Amino acid sequence: MFANATPINLLRNPIAASRARSILACLSGMFRLSLRGFLHSGLLATLSGRVMAFAFVALTAPALATPHIEHWQAPSGAQVYFVEDHGLPMLDVAVGFHAGSGFDTAQKSGVAAMTQNMLDLGAQGLSEDDISRKLADIGAELDGGFDQDRAGISLRTLSSAAERDQALSIMASVLQHPTFPAKVLEREKVRLIAALKEDETRPEAIAGKKFAKAIYGDHPYGLPSSGEVATVEKIQRADLTEFYSRHYGAKTAVVALIGDVTRPEAEAIAERLTAQLPAGGASEQIPPVAMHIAASEQRIPHPASQSHILIGAPGVSRTDPDYVTLYVGNYILGGGGFVSRLMNEVREKRGLAYSVYSYFIPMQQPGPFQIGLQTKKESADQALAVVRDTLRKFIADGPTQQELAAAKDNIIGGFPLRIDSNRKILDYLSMIGFYGLPLTYLDDFPARVEKVTVAQIHDAFRRRVDPDALATVIVGAPDAPKAGPAK
Amino acid sequence: MMRTGLWKWLAIPALLFAVTAHAEVFEKTLHNGLRVVVKEDHRAPVVVQEVWYHVGSMDEWTGKTGVAHALEHMMFKGTRSVPAGEFSKRIAAAGGRENAFTSYDYTAYFQQLHKSRLPLAMKLESDRMQNLLVSDQEFAKEIKVVMEERRWRTDDEPHSLLSEQLMATLFEQHPYHHPVIGWMSDLQQLSADDVRAWYRRWYRPNNAVLVVAGDVNAKEVFALAQRYYGGIPQRPVPPTQNFSEPPQLGIKRIVVKAPAELPYLIMAYHAPTLRDPAHDWQPYALEVLAGILDGNDSARLNKALVREQQLASSVGAGYDPLARGPSIFTLEGTPSEGKTVADLEAGLRAQIGKLAKDGVSEDELKRVKAQVTASEVYKRDSVFYQAMQIGQLESIGLSYRDIPLMLQKLQEVTAQQVQQVAREFFKDDNLTVAVLDPQPLSGKPRHMMQEGGSNVR
């Protein structure tokens, strides 16, 4: 969620993810602009990091059909969202829970992520090897998703009866009867700690961690999502079973399905995956976020040749009435790929950075508003000044009519690309279900975007982003801060 | 673990997944030599256009590394009729996404849009095929962006740095020796003239393939292609040099020091490239072998080295036989705390030795093949990826028409063949070992690292 969607769960490496990497390796190869945010796509991909900035939804001409979403509550209590689609002989299923790192405490930071990580490393009657082998035998792919709010698992399988049944049977065991073997936990702790230590040497990861802390303080959104070395060392099996029984209950589960099954089959599948979940799962709330922070600037030395810069503050929640306005406005500021103001000022005009962006990540509680870039050390102060000037000017004056029209053209006109695969639609089903958004969410969005005015963006940014109350983190900072106007 | 290794710049999806249903593929060659391949897929009202130029960084010469990629950046900087920045603006205003990428083997440009906007994409893409303007002023800014990209992607990324050094060691004569993005010292001296010369030399319709995939009608696409690209004059394409890498004369080892916490090991063996899909058999066997080693979490490497022996916190195997140049087979991993790269190397060698000695089971073989079959279906969920595969194959001298045959050949691989390639290619004289020796951020040496691994065999 922070920095740039580095894989949140450091230990996950399911086959689907590695396949995505190999396929998309071409894309991250020598891109004119990296699509990193797109690439780390797990089950809940639309939630994490930069993907969010892109993966939003709008609608184009009324002729365009949005998927027909069916919704019901399973007898288990789980909420089910289903799109029937017989176009390809395959099925995608995702089950999500209110079980992200926002439910961790500072003392037990990392328990949420480890619980999710361990789900498919042992289930009733199945060793971790049985699980991966039986899935591979039928070409099924099990993937994990994890962020501050959500944790879950997704499955992709062929829809032919034998394959589908075997795949679902494993998914059902993993979700409902994980065994959290103590030996495996010890090994996974060692692996995670190694990865966390490695992260402590990486400028991007250091910046992300410091930034979260700077804007969220002691709020759980300020915790590193996979925990810290000191807290992971202390994780016991009982922590996992306890977290599991509290947060993986059927009543708060969201099941999303798309693919080659009928409604009655989908009903049976949803029940099969959730009927034996723990009885608990009362919806626990992530505490409110303190919205106003004091301006701060941290300069952290690092031997890297580039400075990694993050600037921001708490932003908006998923259900905030300003969200759509801010989303459209942010497209103009720093969300719109090659055509945003930040991109124009920092990269196109001055050649200061390869990538520069801004986004709001809407979460259960207000997720971050964040600007990020990397530039060689000697340019850091100049780039910082350019970014601050650009932001200040945007907030002071708002966008132009022309910029707004271009933003709407892109967001609305590009809608078909956002729902052009089962994978993408599955992510929307999960999101709609998890945040309790209306079933007409996809259909409604274009009208909401269309209605946004220059004055609304101007007003919303002035109210929601205070350029004098932002946290700045510079890792690999130039030796001495230099003050000076942008050139 | 990454099954296909960390070869960002090898930039080719594993053959294991290079399969597609393609009954709906149509092709035509325009009079000026531009090949047009259309994949119809009517599941969603979207289209992707890709233009692949059959030239990549391997066609560069000494002192000018990075020029292919630098031109790719400059392709967005304006033509006579479309000023700098306008390309992106017009695609964005049409609701589109666009980007471009460069590899050793090719350079490609693409746009994804609603199907009704294909003419706009063709208009813009065909314009810059012949009318690009590279101004000194725009180049001076953009080359700074490329240097920032290099710092971000390679210089400050220890694993990328190690890969770069590995390739420079593994290939002494073949141009895969040089990184796609170019050496920093070359980037510092590259000029707008170099980029202009590259453009004039290579960018022409008869050195490209146009791939269109999505909710389109092939006939209509051919007519559009004729309209927008048909008038671009054909010009002779200079011959590309055929490089080869002579046989290695003995094991090579390198160490790269960089700020990091954990050591990291890559073992890379020279391996064959797929040239003749009908008669080659070793690439298919090696691909299956990669799947047996690292095709799922219970495959040999992860099961033995991460789960059971706990020698490594992650391991992987990678092989990609689809390339214009030579291929490599890699094993890589991060040792567990308390273990050294020498321990891990020994563990990986033991796995390879076991394969060569005892072969593989029918179950393992069947599992990999089941994954191939399923992947063929899953892949059809992405129009973009289907187009990528076609473009890639066409750019390296193979064809999308080979896909069913390649699939069939994979299914026909026998346990004996897998054992045979393990014996033939995993030899020390064929091996380069690269080790990342992590250095503290403070710049002070942390410890003396145990160099090499010959003592552990």
Side-chain angles (χ1 to χ4, degrees):
Chain A
M1 163 172 169
F2 299 103
N4 56 20
T6 40
I8 288 173
N9 192 325
L10 293 167
L11 293 179
R12 290 309 294 188
N13 218 331
I15 190 166
S18 57
R19 186 173 70 111
R21 254 200 307 275
S22 71
I23 291 165
L24 294 171
C26 348
L27 311 189
S28 63
M30 278 300 132
F31 252 85
R32 178 170 158 244
L33 176 65
S34 167
L35 296 186
R36 299 183 84 168
F38 284 101
L39 304 184
H40 297 294
S41 310
L43 151 66
L44 304 174
T46 41
L47 279 190
S48 54
R50 288 177 72 180
V51 177
M52 200 39 154
F54 293 98
F56 215 85
V57 173
L59 199 69
T60 186
L64 182 77
T66 53
H68 174 63
I69 304 172
E70 299 181 54
H71 168 233
W72 65 91
Q73 184 168 28
S76 67
Q79 299 294 325
V80 189
Y81 296 78
F82 171 55
V83 171
E84 185 167 342
D85 174 19
H86 301 285
L88 295 174
M90 60 186 234
L91 171 69
D92 286 284
V93 189
V95 183
F97 301 90
H98 293 258
S101 62
F103 298 96
D104 270 341
T105 60
Q107 297 72 37
K108 296 203 168 178
S109 176
V111 166
M114 187 58 84
T115 304
Q116 192 271 353
N117 175 56
M118 292 277 297
L119 289 177
D120 67 346
L121 299 182
Q124 207 171 64
L126 297 168
S127 71
E128 55 179 346
D129 287 332
D130 293 336
I131 292 167
S132 27
R133 206 172 46 238
K134 280 171 191 277
L135 288 166
D137 277 340
I138 49 168
E141 298 172 350
L142 197 65
D143 202 349
F146 187 81
D147 69 11
Q148 274 71 3
D149 290 342
R150 283 196 273 178
I153 280 193
S154 69
L155 172 75
R156 171 165 274 194
T157 175
L158 297 173
S159 57
S160 40
E163 281 77 12
R164 190 181 83 200
D165 187 64
Q166 181 164 332
L168 287 166
S169 133
I170 290 164
M171 189 185 197
S173 298
V174 158
L175 279 169
Q176 300 173 106
H177 307 291
T179 48
F180 303 108
K183 264 195 171 164
V184 175
L185 173 61
E186 285 316 304
R187 182 194 73 211
E188 293 295 294
K189 277 165 62 174
V190 170
R191 290 181 61 220
L192 177 56
I193 287 166
L196 289 171
K197 285 183 181 165
E198 182 68 44
D199 258 8
E200 284 169 11
T201 69
R202 300 173 50 80
E204 234 165 71
I206 297 168
K209 204 171 148 179
K210 296 279 183 195
F211 178 73
K213 188 74 188 162
I215 69 171
Y216 288 113
D218 292 334
H219 187 278
Y221 280 180
L223 298 171
S225 54
S226 293
E228 303 193 63
V229 172
T231 57
V232 170
E233 273 170 354
K234 282 186 272 179
I235 294 177
Q236 301 294 316
R237 183 174 178 278
D239 295 321
L240 306 187
T241 53
E242 199 259 342
F243 189 90
Y244 173 77
S245 56
R246 260 215 340 264
H247 293 279
Y248 285 78
K251 287 175 187 59
T252 56
V254 172
V255 182
L257 306 101
I258 179 167
D260 182 26
V261 290
T262 61
R263 165 76 185 248
E265 286 167 336
E267 287 180 11
I269 291 167
E271 185 62 6
R272 179 179 182 185
L273 294 176
T274 56
Q276 295 175 57
L277 283 169
S283 49
E284 214 168 304
Q285 292 297 313
I286 292 174
V289 166
M291 293 303 291
H292 293 284
I293 61 168
S296 66
E297 183 174 301
Q298 297 179 64
R299 289 175 174 255
I300 297 154
H302 192 285
S305 64
Q306 285 187 317
S307 299
H308 288 246
I309 302 175
L310 294 177
I311 304 169
V316 289
S317 72
R318 170 58 65 184
T319 48
D320 192 301
D322 280 335
Y323 177 59
V324 172
T325 307
L326 291 170
Y327 173 75
V328 176
N330 184 67
Y331 174 90
I332 298 162
L333 173 64
F338 289 106
V339 297
S340 73
R341 282 196 188 185
L342 284 172
M343 189 59 112
N344 192 42
E345 294 297 328
V346 175
R347 174 167 162 164
E348 301 298 308
K349 278 194 195 161
R350 297 178 178 84
L352 287 174
Y354 174 62
S355 157
V356 55
Y357 61 86
S358 65
Y359 56 59
F360 289 91
I361 301 181
M363 305 286 291
Q364 192 93 59
Q365 293 293 331
F369 165 69
Q370 179 176 323
I371 298 174
L373 76 140
Q374 309 85 29
T375 187
K376 65 177 186 292
K377 271 183 182 156
E378 308 80 72
S379 308
D381 287 306
Q382 187 197 353
L384 197 54
V386 171
V387 166
R388 284 175 172 160
D389 283 0
T390 305
L391 177 65
R392 215 171 266 284
K393 189 162 181 300
F394 185 75
I395 292 170
D397 306 338
T400 66
Q401 199 61 55
Q402 217 179 355
E403 285 175 316
L404 177 59
K408 288 180 180 178
D409 283 346
N410 180 264
I411 298 167
I412 297 173
F415 174 72
L417 296 173
R418 296 163 200 259
I419 52 167
D420 66 359
S421 71
N422 288 9
R423 183 84 82 191
K424 292 179 190 174
I425 294 169
L426 183 79
D427 288 341
Y428 281 116
L429 296 180
S430 295
M431 183 190 83
I432 287 169
F434 186 84
Y435 292 105
L437 305 174
L439 285 186
T440 55
Y441 182 79
L442 294 178
D443 309 276
D444 297 344
F445 200 75
R448 295 174 69 194
V449 170
E450 194 55 60
K451 273 191 219 143
V452 172
T453 66
V454 164
Q456 284 171 345
I457 293 173
H458 193 193
D459 171 60
F461 266 83
R462 268 195 307 202
R463 281 186 290 106
R464 307 303 292 263
V465 181
D466 178 355
D468 294 315
L470 299 176
T472 301
V473 175
I474 310 161
V475 176
D479 298 333
K482 280 175 275 175
K487 285 275 156 53
Chain B
M1 87 223 74
M2 295 185 276
R3 186 179 43 245
T4 51
L6 66 165
W7 311 111
K8 283 180 183 174
W9 13 253
L10 267 186
I12 300 169
L15 173 58
L16 189 54
F17 300 105
V19 289
T20 187
H22 65 117
E24 318 84 349
V25 182
F26 305 88
E27 70 164 289
K28 186 181 174 176
T29 302
L30 304 187
H31 292 303
N32 57 13
L34 177 69
R35 292 195 59 217
V36 186
V37 181
V38 181
K39 159 91 194 184
E40 290 189 14
D41 182 324
H42 304 289
R43 296 175 65 233
V46 298
V47 65
V48 55
Q49 167 181 251
E50 302 174 348
V51 169
W52 298 67
Y53 293 96
H54 307 320
V55 61
S57 69
M58 68 176 278
D59 302 302
E60 294 166 348
W61 44 89
T62 310
K64 302 293 180 191
T65 64
V67 67
H69 174 246
L71 171 60
E72 179 227 296
H73 276 239
M74 294 310 294
M75 284 284 278
F76 296 82
K77 295 301 183 177
T79 65
R80 274 168 230 141
S81 54
V82 181
E86 269 296 305
F87 189 104
S88 298
K89 274 189 196 146
R90 292 185 196 178
I91 294 294
R97 299 174 186 174
E98 38 110 30
N99 218 325
F101 49 93
T102 307
S103 86
Y104 290 125
D105 297 350
Y106 45 74
T107 312
Y109 302 81
F110 70 86
Q111 302 84 37
Q112 297 168 273
L113 312 100
H114 185 264
K115 61 177 177 177
S116 64
R117 311 313 290 269
L118 180 60
L120 171 73
M122 283 202 177
K123 184 167 177 234
L124 289 167
E125 194 63 82
S126 60
D127 175 43
R128 67 180 175 181
M129 185 178 276
Q130 56 178 339
N131 298 319
L132 186 71
L133 293 177
V134 177
S135 83
D136 291 352
Q137 199 193 355
E138 289 291 342
F139 176 79
K141 286 188 292 181
E142 197 62 25
I143 197 70
K144 286 166 65 186
V145 172
V146 172
M147 290 185 217
E148 292 294 351
E149 181 178 356
R150 186 186 153 87
R151 290 183 188 102
W152 173 73
R153 209 182 269 294
T154 307
D155 296 342
D156 289 347
E157 282 287 335
H159 286 201
S160 305
L161 214 50
L162 185 69
S163 305
E164 187 176 89
Q165 293 291 314
L166 169 69
M167 292 299 275
T169 306
L170 204 121
F171 295 110
E172 294 176 6
Q173 299 183 27
H174 192 278
Y176 283 179
H177 175 87
H178 302 287
V180 174
I181 199 163
W183 301 110
M184 191 61 107
S185 57
D186 286 352
L187 296 180
Q188 281 158 352
Q189 295 180 56
L190 213 57
S191 71
D193 274 340
D194 294 326
V195 171
R196 285 188 281 259
W198 191 260
Y199 178 71
R200 282 195 305 267
R201 185 176 174 88
W202 298 112
Y203 280 46
R204 52 206 54 187
N206 42 315
N207 195 33
V209 58
L210 166 66
V211 182
V212 174
D215 189 11
V216 291
N217 170 282
K219 265 193 186 159
E220 289 169 19
V221 174
F222 292 142
L224 279 174
Q226 177 57 42
R227 180 170 154 204
Y228 288 107
Y229 292 91
I232 304 174
Q234 173 167 10
R235 285 181 299 145
V237 179
T240 49
Q241 191 167 338
N242 272 326
F243 294 95
S244 60
E245 183 68 22
Q248 197 171 317
L249 301 176
I251 191 167
K252 299 186 217 178
R253 291 184 178 274
I254 58 163
V255 175
V256 170
K257 293 180 176 180
E261 173 68 24
L262 305 173
Y264 180 61
L265 167 77
I266 311 173
M267 299 169 67
Y269 297 88
H270 289 285
T273 297
L274 184 68
R275 299 284 179 221
D276 179 346
H279 298 102
D280 287 350
W281 64 272
Q282 291 171 327
Y284 301 112
L286 283 163
E287 190 64 50
V288 170
L289 172 54
I292 287 172
L293 287 175
D294 191 25
N296 69 83
D297 286 348
S298 67
R300 290 188 176 204
L301 294 186
N302 196 55
K303 185 174 188 312
L305 303 180
V306 176
R307 290 181 168 178
E308 289 169 7
Q309 301 170 31
Q310 305 190 10
L311 258 179
S313 63
S314 70
V315 283
Y319 171 62
D320 194 330
L322 301 179
R324 279 172 59 200
S327 293
I328 54 180
F329 194 109
T330 58
L331 305 170
E332 42 101 12
T334 301
S336 301
E337 186 142 28
K339 303 288 180 188
T340 65
V341 287
D343 296 333
L344 180 53
E345 182 181 332
L348 286 165
R349 281 174 179 275
Q351 290 302 313
I352 293 302
K354 209 170 134 197
L355 253 175
K357 184 166 163 284
D358 304 332
V360 300
S361 74
E362 282 303 319
D363 266 2
E364 288 174 297
L365 214 53
K366 245 175 73 185
R367 193 167 299 131
V368 171
K369 292 175 182 179
Q371 289 180 287
V372 172
T373 306
S375 303
E376 187 200 357
V377 173
Y378 303 156
K379 154 178 357 102
R380 293 168 59 200
D381 196 31
S382 167
V383 167
F384 181 73
Y385 177 57
Q386 295 177 68
M388 287 287 300
Q389 272 193 328
I390 293 171
Q392 209 157 33
L393 289 170
E394 297 294 328
S395 299
I396 59 169
L398 298 176
S399 162
Y400 68 88
R401 278 168 310 221
D402 297 327
I403 292 171
L405 177 64
M406 284 155 60
L407 246 185
Q408 184 200 327
K409 290 282 182 178
L410 276 172
Q411 296 293 341
E412 288 169 6
V413 169
T414 65
Q416 196 199 357
Q417 287 176 325
V418 173
Q419 187 173 14
Q420 215 171 320
V421 290
R423 284 179 179 163
E424 178 163 355
F425 293 102
F426 298 133
K427 286 181 183 158
D428 268 13
D429 285 355
N430 206 21
L431 169 66
T432 303
V433 181
V435 165
L436 174 68
D437 182 4
Q439 300 298 304
L441 301 194
S442 66
K444 297 185 192 106
R446 179 179 287 138
H447 52 77
M448 282 301 290
M449 170 154 159
Q450 193 182 349
E451 300 209 6
S454 51
N455 54 327
V456 299
R457 263 173 290 140

